[in-house]
Amino acid sequence: MRPAKLSILALLAFCALLHTGCASVFFSTVNIQPVTIVADDDDEYDFYVNGVLKCENTSECTVYRSTYGRCKMSIEASRDGVILGSEKYGYWHEPSFIEQMFRDKDDDEKEKKCPEGFFSGAQAVVRIDQEIKERVNAAREKAWREGPNASWDTSPLSPGSGE
C-alpha cells in the first residue's frame, strides 16, 4: 500500500473511533435521570437511597440514576441516626405471570424512567413522622443544654476542684 492510502485509512479509523466514543458518551448522559428528594415539611435531613447516604443535613437532595434499569428506590430521611420517614419511590409492583403476558414492551420502557410531574421533573417526597421528629428534637435540645454543664463539672476551674 502506498503511504498516502495508509494515512487516509488511519485517519478514517481514528475518526470512526472518535465518533464512536463521542456517541457512547452522549448516549450515556441521555440515559441519566435526576431525581429530587425533599421532605414534606421542608426541613433538613440526611437522605439515604437504597441504604446509601446521598445527602447530609439538607432540605433538598438531587440524585442521578441510570435509566437502563427499573425505577425502584427506597428513600429514608433521618436525623441523628433516627429514621423519621421513608418512601418507596418508583415502580414496586411486580407484575404476575399473566400480567406479563399481556404487557406491552412500552410498559417496561416506561418503568425504567421514574415518574415525572408536568413541571417538576422526577421528585420524591418523603413523609416525616412528626411525633418521632419532636422526640428527636427534644433529645437534641436536652443534650445541647446539658452539654456545657457536663463539661463545666469536669473543668479544673469548677467549684470544689481545688480540694
Side-chain angles (χ1 to χ4, degrees), residues 43-44 46 57 78-81 133-146:
D43 206 350
E44 295 179 345
D46 298 336
N57 200 24
S78 72
R79 182 178 287 162
D80 295 338
K133 179 182 173 183
E134 287 176 14
R135 281 189 255 152
V136 168
N137 288 344
R140 178 186 271 189
E141 186 175 333
K142 181 180 178 187
W144 181 78
R145 287 183 185 202
E146 291 177 355

Coordinates of all heavy atoms in Angstrom, one line a residue, residues 43-44 46 57 78-81 133-146:
D43 N -37.9 20.5 56.0 CA -36.8 20.7 57.0 C -35.6 19.9 56.5 O -35.6 19.3 55.4 CB -37.3 20.1 58.3 CG -36.6 20.7 59.5 OD1 -35.6 21.4 59.3 OD2 -37.0 20.4 60.6
E44 N -34.5 20.0 57.2 CA -33.2 19.4 56.8 C -33.0 18.1 57.4 O -33.2 17.9 58.6 CB -32.1 20.4 57.1 CG -32.1 21.7 56.4 CD -31.0 22.6 56.8 OE1 -30.3 22.4 57.8 OE2 -30.8 23.6 56.1
D46 N -30.8 13.9 56.7 CA -29.9 13.1 56.0 C -30.7 12.2 55.1 O -31.6 11.5 55.6 CB -29.0 12.3 56.9 CG -28.2 13.2 57.8 OD1 -27.9 14.3 57.4 OD2 -27.8 12.7 58.9
N57 N -27.8 16.6 56.0 CA -28.3 17.9 56.5 C -28.7 18.9 55.5 O -28.2 20.0 55.4 CB -27.2 18.4 57.5 CG -27.8 19.4 58.4 OD1 -28.9 19.4 58.8 ND2 -26.9 20.3 58.9
S78 N -33.4 10.8 57.8 CA -33.1 10.6 59.2 C -32.4 11.8 59.7 O -31.9 12.7 59.0 CB -32.1 9.4 59.3 OG -30.9 9.7 58.8
R79 N -32.4 11.9 61.1 CA -31.7 12.9 61.8 C -31.2 12.3 63.1 O -31.9 11.6 63.8 CB -32.7 14.0 62.2 CG -32.1 15.2 62.9 CD -33.0 16.3 63.2 NE -33.3 17.0 62.0 CZ -34.4 17.8 61.8 NH1 -35.2 18.0 62.8 NH2 -34.6 18.4 60.7
D80 N -29.9 12.5 63.3 CA -29.2 12.0 64.5 C -29.3 10.4 64.5 O -29.4 9.8 65.6 CB -29.8 12.5 65.8 CG -29.5 14.0 65.9 OD1 -28.6 14.5 65.3 OD2 -30.2 14.7 66.7
G81 N -29.3 9.8 63.3 CA -29.3 8.4 63.2 C -30.7 7.7 63.4 O -30.8 6.5 63.4
K133 N -40.1 13.0 65.2 CA -39.3 14.2 65.0 C -39.3 15.1 66.3 O -38.2 15.6 66.6 CB -39.8 15.0 63.8 CG -39.0 16.3 63.5 CD -39.6 17.0 62.4 CE -38.9 18.4 62.2 NZ -39.5 19.2 61.1
E134 N -40.4 15.3 66.9 CA -40.5 16.1 68.1 C -39.6 15.4 69.2 O -38.9 16.1 70.0 CB -41.9 16.2 68.6 CG -42.7 17.2 67.8 CD -44.2 17.3 68.2 OE1 -44.5 16.8 69.3 OE2 -45.0 17.8 67.4
R135 N -39.6 14.1 69.3 CA -38.8 13.4 70.4 C -37.3 13.5 70.1 O -36.5 13.7 71.0 CB -39.2 11.9 70.4 CG -40.5 11.7 71.2 CD -40.7 10.2 71.5 NE -41.8 9.9 70.6 CZ -42.0 8.7 70.1 NH1 -41.2 7.7 70.3 NH2 -43.0 8.4 69.3
V136 N -37.0 13.4 68.8 CA -35.6 13.6 68.4 C -35.1 15.0 68.7 O -34.0 15.2 69.2 CB -35.3 13.2 66.9 CG1 -34.0 13.6 66.5 CG2 -35.5 11.7 66.8
N137 N -35.9 16.0 68.3 CA -35.6 17.4 68.6 C -35.5 17.7 70.1 O -34.6 18.4 70.5 CB -36.6 18.3 67.9 CG -36.4 18.3 66.4 OD1 -35.4 17.9 65.9 ND2 -37.5 18.8 65.7
A138 N -36.4 17.1 70.9 CA -36.3 17.3 72.3 C -35.0 16.7 72.9 O -34.3 17.3 73.7 CB -37.5 16.7 73.0
A139 N -34.6 15.5 72.4 CA -33.4 14.9 72.9 C -32.2 15.7 72.5 O -31.2 15.8 73.2 CB -33.3 13.4 72.4
R140 N -32.2 16.2 71.3 CA -31.1 17.0 70.8 C -31.0 18.3 71.6 O -29.9 18.7 72.0 CB -31.4 17.4 69.3 CG -30.3 18.3 68.7 CD -30.7 18.7 67.3 NE -30.2 17.8 66.3 CZ -30.3 17.9 65.0 NH1 -30.8 19.0 64.5 NH2 -29.8 17.0 64.2
E141 N -32.1 18.9 71.9 CA -32.1 20.2 72.7 C -31.6 19.9 74.1 O -30.8 20.6 74.7 CB -33.5 20.8 72.7 CG -33.5 22.1 73.4 CD -34.9 22.8 73.4 OE1 -35.6 22.5 72.4 OE2 -35.2 23.6 74.3
K142 N -32.0 18.7 74.7 CA -31.6 18.4 76.1 C -30.1 18.1 76.1 O -29.4 18.6 77.0 CB -32.4 17.1 76.5 CG -32.0 16.7 77.9 CD -32.8 15.4 78.3 CE -32.3 14.9 79.7 NZ -32.9 13.7 80.0
A143 N -29.6 17.4 75.1 CA -28.1 17.2 75.0 C -27.4 18.5 74.8 O -26.3 18.6 75.4 CB -27.8 16.2 73.9
W144 N -27.9 19.4 74.1 CA -27.3 20.7 73.9 C -27.2 21.5 75.2 O -26.2 22.1 75.5 CB -28.0 21.5 72.8 CG -27.4 22.8 72.5 CD1 -26.3 23.0 71.8 CD2 -27.8 24.0 72.9 NE1 -26.0 24.4 71.7 CE2 -27.0 25.0 72.5 CE3 -28.9 24.5 73.7 CZ2 -27.1 26.4 72.7 CZ3 -29.1 25.8 74.0 CH2 -28.2 26.8 73.5
R145 N -28.4 21.5 75.9 CA -28.4 22.2 77.2 C -27.6 21.6 78.2 O -26.9 22.3 79.0 CB -29.9 22.3 77.7 CG -30.7 23.2 76.8 CD -32.1 23.3 77.4 NE -32.9 24.1 76.5 CZ -34.0 24.7 76.9 NH1 -34.4 24.6 78.2 NH2 -34.7 25.4 76.1
E146 N -27.5 20.3 78.3 CA -26.7 19.7 79.3 C -25.2 19.6 79.0 O -24.4 19.4 79.8 CB -27.2 18.3 79.6 CG -28.6 18.3 80.3 CD -29.2 16.9 80.5 OE1 -28.5 15.9 80.1 OE2 -30.2 16.8 81.1

